[in-house]
Amino acid sequence: MAEPATAEHLKRTPLYALNVELGGKMVPFAGYEMPVQFPAGILKEHLHTRAAAGLFDVSHMGQAFLRLENPTGDADARHAAIAALLEELTPGEIKGLKPGQIRYTLLLNDKGGIRDDFMVSRPNDAKFAGTLFLVVNAATKDADFAHIAAKLKGRARVERLEEQALIALQGPKAVEVFDRIVPGVAAMSFMTIAPFTWERTQLFVSRSGYTGEDGYEITLPANMAVPFARVLLADKDVAPIGLGARDSLRLEAGLCLYGHDIDETTTPVEANLTWAIGKRRKREKGFPGADIIMGQLFDGAKRLRVGIKPDGRAPAREGADIVDASGNVVGRVTSGGFGPSVNGPIAMGYVRPDLAKDGTPLGLVVRGQTLAAKVAPLPFIPKRFHKPG
Amino acid sequence: MSETRYTKDHEWVRVDGGVATVGITQYAAEQLGDVVFVELPKVGKAVEKGGEAAVVESVKAASEVYAPISGEIVEVNGAIEGEPAKVNAEPMGGGWFIKLKVKDAAEVSALMTEAQYQDYVKGL
């Protein structure tokens, strides 16, 4: 951001008044006033999401359509054209998206560093042929959309959805709760998007999330966000969840937080996000920093993101030095804290590749003391995404 | 038992027979949120008024507990190491952190009274 966010500059989401009414402790986050927690507290909110369903206001995130300037041909031809453009900026397999499919991908800089991580969807409605739906991080959204618009100028345009709220409903009860309110959503597969109607309001429903749980992310007009959230919250299984629990949920799920676990200096290979590079893309290259990234894929990276589990009870926070058995600093913790479902401290960080194997003993320097820890497989908790039967 | 005194950093002190029991206030416990880890000093350690005496961690962050007065640590509350949630459940009682041998009684009387602390918290 160009200037530090002060109270006067902070923006509010369409759910701001409801967040306050629900007792949300509002804090500045990515230029918005967001609830870090509700009266239940982070620990209970986290466990509630894993046991039932949590409602998250994620309206601060950036939503946009990427649209062809001059669409020609049938729906598949239009998709191929818009996908080819986005593929100039990302290593993901975008052309191969089927109608209604969502993919996690990365916006790269010319050195193969990560400008942002985001979700891209191919809408399943023919009238959207030649468009992609993008959801990017709040802190990076202005820069992301400006970058995409500049790079694709004259060929595609970014249409930001400023008047659309985004609500996530996550947890094992999310499906049955939401299907009672919007019949049909239970039939969706994970990582698909489809339009639904609720109270004569158009919803774009994604079966996706960032908590390690099954659930949905719902785009809807700002003026309907509060009534819609109230209907969800009226269900005894649904509780409002703040950013604090969102962070501990994604950390347990081994998911990266942009600006912490990944940034412009980390590549997809270093970040252990190689799976986000499409097979065809590896062959064809043609994405930013492809030479550097393919070189790392071939020769190995100098550092790798790993999960780390301290042996004891003390959490190691972001910024803590990681040391090897001889006490040499070999990396740094990029996310760390207490995992309520793990019921213990957990962390992620970067280490030398020879120290990246599961079970490798490491030390974490906390308040001047070196705490014993081990490299641990990610995620820290089993993922419970919905897989099509 | 003597009256409870308070610091601006939200610690409380209660002196009994020259030994001060120290904990964090209800307000502090609520602000921290669910406590998931505490680190206590070694018995026998000498602490200075305002120095770091213990660490308390919530899901989100780590915070220091400062010594409200100078003295030697004579006992620590092992119960909150095993059950950190006790700090939230009984901050003013069973969730105490340390016991100090009081070095200078004047340091205790210089701290805020209950009424002064309540006024202080209201102003935050």
Side-chain angles (χ1 to χ4, degrees), chain A residues 210-234:
Chain A
Y210 216 61
T211 58
E213 296 295 325
D214 195 0
Y216 301 90
E217 291 168 303
I218 304 131
T219 298
L220 77 169
N223 64 344
M224 292 304 281
V226 169
F228 178 72
R230 282 194 199 281
V231 168
L232 292 173
L233 288 166

Side-chain angles (χ1 to χ4, degrees), chain A residues 43 313-315 317 338 367, chain B residues 34 37 39 57-60:
Chain A
L43 196 72
R313 300 290 298 170
R317 309 280 175 179
F338 183 84
R367 294 183 286 274
Chain B
D34 300 291
F37 177 77
E39 188 175 285
E57 302 213 20
S58 66
V59 178
K60 192 120 189 85

